[in-house]
Amino acid sequence: MTVLELNNVEREPGAIYYIRRYRAVAKLKLPTEIVDSNVEFSIETGPLGNKQIDVELLTQPNYPALPIIKALRDFINENDNAGTLPI
């Protein structure tokens, strides 16, 4: 199970500057098919610079959720470190 890309990434406005909330469409490669799933995620930066990424699947594909969420967290963290997410 791999995440191919995040499409239509939009940042939701928020008053707390250290929490960033996003909505996107994730393209997932499952063992039997490639599916699109709507997701919401937030990135919370702690006082020491550590990041906590929370992911919620809005449309659940026919596959266990835990591996999808772990792969999405890793993919989101890589994109955030690379600076490709909207500010």
Side-chain angles (χ1 to χ4, degrees):
M1 207 292 333
T2 57
V3 179
L4 299 177
E5 61 184 346
L6 287 175
N7 296 323
N8 301 330
V9 180
E10 296 177 2
R11 183 169 178 189
E12 297 178 6
I16 303 173
Y17 69 93
Y18 57 89
I19 298 177
R20 295 177 287 150
R21 298 186 197 289
Y22 297 92
R23 294 189 124 178
V25 177
K27 184 171 274 199
L28 307 169
K29 182 178 180 185
L30 303 178
T32 58
E33 61 186 339
I34 295 176
V35 297
D36 291 335
S37 178
N38 293 330
V39 297
E40 285 185 351
F41 60 94
S42 66
I43 303 171
E44 181 176 350
T45 305
L48 300 177
N50 55 332
K51 295 179 185 175
Q52 178 179 342
I53 300 172
D54 296 320
V55 178
E56 181 180 351
L57 295 172
L58 300 178
T59 55
Q60 177 68 38
N62 191 15
Y63 194 77
L66 288 177
I68 293 173
I69 291 173
K70 171 135 179 40
L72 279 168
R73 280 186 184 145
D74 294 340
F75 190 80
I76 291 166
N77 191 29
E78 290 172 9
N79 282 331
D80 188 44
N81 290 339
T84 59
L85 293 177
I87 294 178

